[in-house]
Amino acid sequence: MSILYIDDDPEDIEIFYEAVKTVDPSINYSSATSGKQAFEILNSSDVFPSHIVLDINIPGMDGKIILEELRKEKKFDAINVIIYSTDSSPKDIEQIESLGSTFIRKANSFNELCHLIRMMADGTIGAKKGIGA
C-alpha cells in the first residue's frame, strides 16, 4: 500500500506519518502541502499511490477542487481518494461521494487514526465507488 497525504498543516502531516509508520513501516508514504505540489508529485511518478488522503480546507486549490482535477485525468482513476477533514457539510459529502471518493471525519486521537489506516490497508474504507471501477 502507498499513501499520498495532502494537507497544509505540517503538524497533521507529521502525526499522519507517525500513525502510518506505527501501523505498518512498509507502507510507502509521501505528503504534499498543496494541490500544486501533489500534482507535481503525481505527474513526476511512474507509479501512483494506492490511496490519496486529502484535507478539504487547503488554501488556494482546496480539497474538493483537487478531487475534481484528479477525476478529470483517466490515469488517476485507480487511486482511492479519501477526503479526510473536519468539514462535513451534507452538500460537500454528497459531492465527494458523487466523484467516487469517501469522506472520513478527522480522527480525534492517535489510536483512532491508526485504526483508520488499518482499515485503508485491509480495504474496509477507501474502496473505489463507481469511478473507473
Side-chain angles (χ1 to χ4, degrees):
M1 182 169 86
S2 56
I3 298 171
L4 171 59
Y5 182 60
I6 308 168
D7 195 318
D8 64 311
D9 185 330
E11 187 175 319
D12 284 354
I13 289 172
E14 181 63 27
I15 291 167
F16 201 94
Y17 172 78
E18 291 300 324
V20 165
K21 294 308 171 188
T22 296
V23 169
D24 183 350
S26 72
I27 294 173
N28 184 358
Y29 173 86
S30 57
S31 63
T33 57
S34 68
K36 180 181 180 208
Q37 184 182 29
F39 281 104
E40 287 171 358
I41 290 168
L42 290 168
N43 288 319
S44 67
S45 179
D46 293 331
V47 179
F48 299 128
S50 55
H51 294 79
I52 291 177
V53 180
L54 173 59
D55 187 22
I56 289 178
N57 300 313
I58 299 174
M61 184 187 298
D62 73 20
K64 291 180 287 184
I65 294 170
I66 295 169
L67 176 59
E68 289 171 355
E69 292 300 312
L70 285 167
R71 294 308 186 213
K72 288 179 184 177
E73 300 260 357
K74 186 137 184 79
K75 67 183 178 181
F76 300 136
D77 277 356
I79 301 172
N80 296 311
V81 180
I82 298 168
I83 302 296
Y84 181 63
S85 186
T86 55
D87 186 4
S88 62
S89 79
K91 181 180 176 186
D92 286 342
I93 293 171
E94 184 178 319
Q95 179 184 13
I96 289 161
E97 290 177 350
S98 76
L99 290 168
S101 187
T102 303
F103 177 86
I104 302 292
R105 182 176 294 282
K106 279 195 175 182
N108 291 322
S109 70
F110 187 77
N111 286 339
E112 190 177 316
L113 178 55
C114 289
H115 180 68
L116 166 73
I117 294 165
R118 283 186 202 95
M119 291 174 66
M120 289 171 53
D122 71 16
T124 305
I125 61 167
K128 300 283 290 155
K129 295 182 188 175
I131 305 294

